[in-house]
């Protein structure tokens, strides 16, 4: 064990996350807002085994409002492009869209530090981008091209980046892996926190409760985040779970319920979670109540187990982008013109990346045995037959 952990810790060494430039804010009073910040009230959190929760009001600057809006817009646009590419049969296999859940990822990422890590399930396109992979890197991976973040060999469910451990295709399997990443943080003493995300459909998995136990037993800096979008595939939470208070399901692990459609609430809850875990108190469970507009995957129309009226009502009353847009405009942090500029910029960026993701070549067969191991100790690995081994090669240089 002691030999394995330092080796695994190499993944964390020198970890940095690519940062995008902040939107430019000018001071023209005719087109741009001059208000620098505003305070917003947050829907009360529900607490489990906690005397005090996250702040119920938060201050947002004009600059942060523009950054957050841009990230929300990029994630929505990526998923729209992904859906279209799938319908064109350019993306093959499974494809799970994140549309409607953007406030969870964007708010969390806004509070995270460079040392923190993330592991999630297969609805991972948005998280991959937020953790530093370009729009092209995401879309090219979905289309199976060489400019993808996994060289086109992973596809929709297996995207990775610096401090981002996927993208995992097995329901709930990321939970014990996330506890392991948190163990590496504690072993190295780097002060990092791991955010382990899973859906309500995975919340009844036995391995999740095993991970809770180990994380609490060793007081690991791990935040288990249940993205409760109401449905596990086509089964509603009321039909699948004896208790739908997922934030309390950790029993001896404290928990928080958060309005996952409010990007400010998710940001503040994540700040609280980081403070909690870095103070040595151990793990935390956060339930983010959210909603997905699309079906479970592209093969699911999403209308056999819920009505179109239900989806439309959420779009009209709780959409994370529309509601945030209304908040920041009404408080004069931004103007409609500024947001239109962002929309135009985002549309252009995603459209250009989509075109390139269609035309880039695929990797050659010589990469079949490339980058299988981080530190390969043998020159050959097993192929289709024991007598026909493949030579391991390193394609992407390690940092």
């Amino acid at each position: 064990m002691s030999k394995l952990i330092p080796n695994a810790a190499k993944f964390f060494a020198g970890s940095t996350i690519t940062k995008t430039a902040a939107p430019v804010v000018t001071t023209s009073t005719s087109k741009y807002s001059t208000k620098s910040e505003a305070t917003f009230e947050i829907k009360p959190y529900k607490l489990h085994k906690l005397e005090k929760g996250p702040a119920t009001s938060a201050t947002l600057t004009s600059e942060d409002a523009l950054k957050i809006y841009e990230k929300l817009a990029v994630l929505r646009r990526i998923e729209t492009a992904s859906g279209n590419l799938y319908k064109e049969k350019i993306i093959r296999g499974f494809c799970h869209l994140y549309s409607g859940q953007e406030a969870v990822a964007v708010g969390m990422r806004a509070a995270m530090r460079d040392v923190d890590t993330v592991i999630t399930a297969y609805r991972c396109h948005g998280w991959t981008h937020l953790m530093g992979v370009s729009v092209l890197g995401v879309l090219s991976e979905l289309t199976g091209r060489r400019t993808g973040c996994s060289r086109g060999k992973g596809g929709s469910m297996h995207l990775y980046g610096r401090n981002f451990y996927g993208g995992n295709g097995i329901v709930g399997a990321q939970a014990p892996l996330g506890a392991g990443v948190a163990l590496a943080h504690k072993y190295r003493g780097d002060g990092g926190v791991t955010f382990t995300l899973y859906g309500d459909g995975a919340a009844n998995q036995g391995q999740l409760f095993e991970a809770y136990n180990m994380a609490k037993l060793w007081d690991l800096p791990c935040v288990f985040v249940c993205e409760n979008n109401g449905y596990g595939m086509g089964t509603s939470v009321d039909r699948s779970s004896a208790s739908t208070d997922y934030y309390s399901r950790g029993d001896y692990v404290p928990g928080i319920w958060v309005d996952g459609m409010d990007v400010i609430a998710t940001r503040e809850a994540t700040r609280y979670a980081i403070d909690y875990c870095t103070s040595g108190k151990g793990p935390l469970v956060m339930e983010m109540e959210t909603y997905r507009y699309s079906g479970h995957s592209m093969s699911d129309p999403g209308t056999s187990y819920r009505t179109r009226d239900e989806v439309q009502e959420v779009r009209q009353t709780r959409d994370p982008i529309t509601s945030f847009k209304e908040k920041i405009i009404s408080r004069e942090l931004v103007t409609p013109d500024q947001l239109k500029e962002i929309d135009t910029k985002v549309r252009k960026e995603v459209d250009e990346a989509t075109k390139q993701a269609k035309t880039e070549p695929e990797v050659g067969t010589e990469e079949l045995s490339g980058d299988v191991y981080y530190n390969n100790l043998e020159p050959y690995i097993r192929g289709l037959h024991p007598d026909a081994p493949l030579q391991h090669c390193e394609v992407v240089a390690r940092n």
Side-chain angles (χ1 to χ4, degrees), residues 83-363:
N84 291 335
L85 288 168
Y86 193 92
K87 292 170 185 175
E88 295 174 34
K89 297 185 178 180
I90 296 172
I91 294 176
R92 301 294 185 119
F94 293 101
C95 185
H96 307 82
L97 303 184
Y98 201 61
S99 302
Q101 300 182 210
E102 297 92 348
V104 176
V106 173
M108 288 179 63
R109 185 66 186 91
M112 288 169 57
R113 307 155 303 162
D114 284 355
V115 71
D116 298 325
T117 49
V118 174
I119 187 168
T120 186
Y122 37 74
R123 208 176 300 278
C124 61
H125 310 157
W127 265 112
T128 307
H129 175 63
L130 291 176
M131 294 300 288
V133 175
S134 67
V135 175
L136 177 62
V138 173
L139 293 176
S140 290
E141 189 57 40
L142 301 186
T143 59
R145 310 305 171 110
R146 67 178 183 183
T147 44
C149 59
S150 300
R151 298 286 290 170
K153 297 187 287 184
S156 173
M157 296 192 287
H158 302 101
L159 295 91
Y160 305 94
R162 176 64 60 187
N163 279 10
F164 180 63
Y165 292 83
N168 289 267
I170 306 300
V171 175
Q174 69 275 17
L177 296 178
V181 177
L183 174 62
H185 279 307
K186 183 168 185 175
Y187 185 90
R188 297 182 69 237
D190 59 15
V193 173
T194 298
F195 292 89
T196 302
L197 295 99
Y198 57 95
D200 53 277
N204 297 318
Q205 287 267 325
Q207 58 189 331
L208 176 63
F209 295 91
E210 293 178 48
Y212 285 165
N213 179 61
M214 293 167 67
K216 184 58 182 174
L217 186 64
W218 297 334
D219 279 337
L220 302 180
C222 188
V223 183
F224 295 96
V225 183
C226 178
E227 291 187 272
N228 177 11
N229 60 25
Y231 299 92
M233 295 188 72
T235 305
S236 68
V237 294
D238 294 325
R239 293 179 59 218
S240 66
S241 299
S243 169
T244 57
D245 292 332
Y246 295 106
Y247 68 99
S248 68
R249 297 275 291 271
D251 187 14
Y252 41 78
V253 179
I256 309 170
W257 176 93
V258 184
D259 179 2
M261 302 297 268
D262 181 354
V263 71
I264 302 176
T266 60
R267 184 189 71 169
E268 294 307 305
T270 304
R271 285 176 173 172
Y272 174 91
I274 291 173
D275 288 342
Y276 182 92
C277 288
T278 54
S279 66
K281 297 177 182 176
L284 194 66
V285 175
M286 287 204 302
E287 176 188 348
M288 300 282 192
E289 187 171 313
T290 183
Y291 197 84
R292 61 166 162 82
Y293 294 145
S294 302
H296 170 72
S297 67
M298 288 298 295
S299 61
D300 168 26
T303 54
S304 61
Y305 48 86
R306 59 182 181 178
T307 65
R308 296 182 187 276
D309 289 341
E310 176 185 310
V311 180
Q312 193 60 27
E313 182 183 359
V314 176
R315 283 187 180 273
Q316 293 175 349
T317 61
R318 297 172 55 210
D319 182 80
I321 301 178
T322 302
S323 59
F324 182 67
K325 179 179 180 180
E326 291 172 352
K327 283 181 181 179
I328 58 179
I329 289 178
S330 65
R331 301 301 294 272
E332 299 179 2
L333 282 178
V334 301
T335 66
D337 285 334
Q338 285 176 292
L339 300 187
K340 285 179 183 177
E341 287 181 0
I342 290 175
D343 289 337
T344 301
K345 171 188 170 185
V346 168
R347 186 182 304 111
K348 180 181 178 182
E349 179 185 8
V350 176
D351 287 351
E352 289 177 353
T354 302
K355 291 178 182 177
Q356 188 173 343
K358 291 179 178 181
T359 58
E360 285 287 336
E362 299 176 358
V363 298

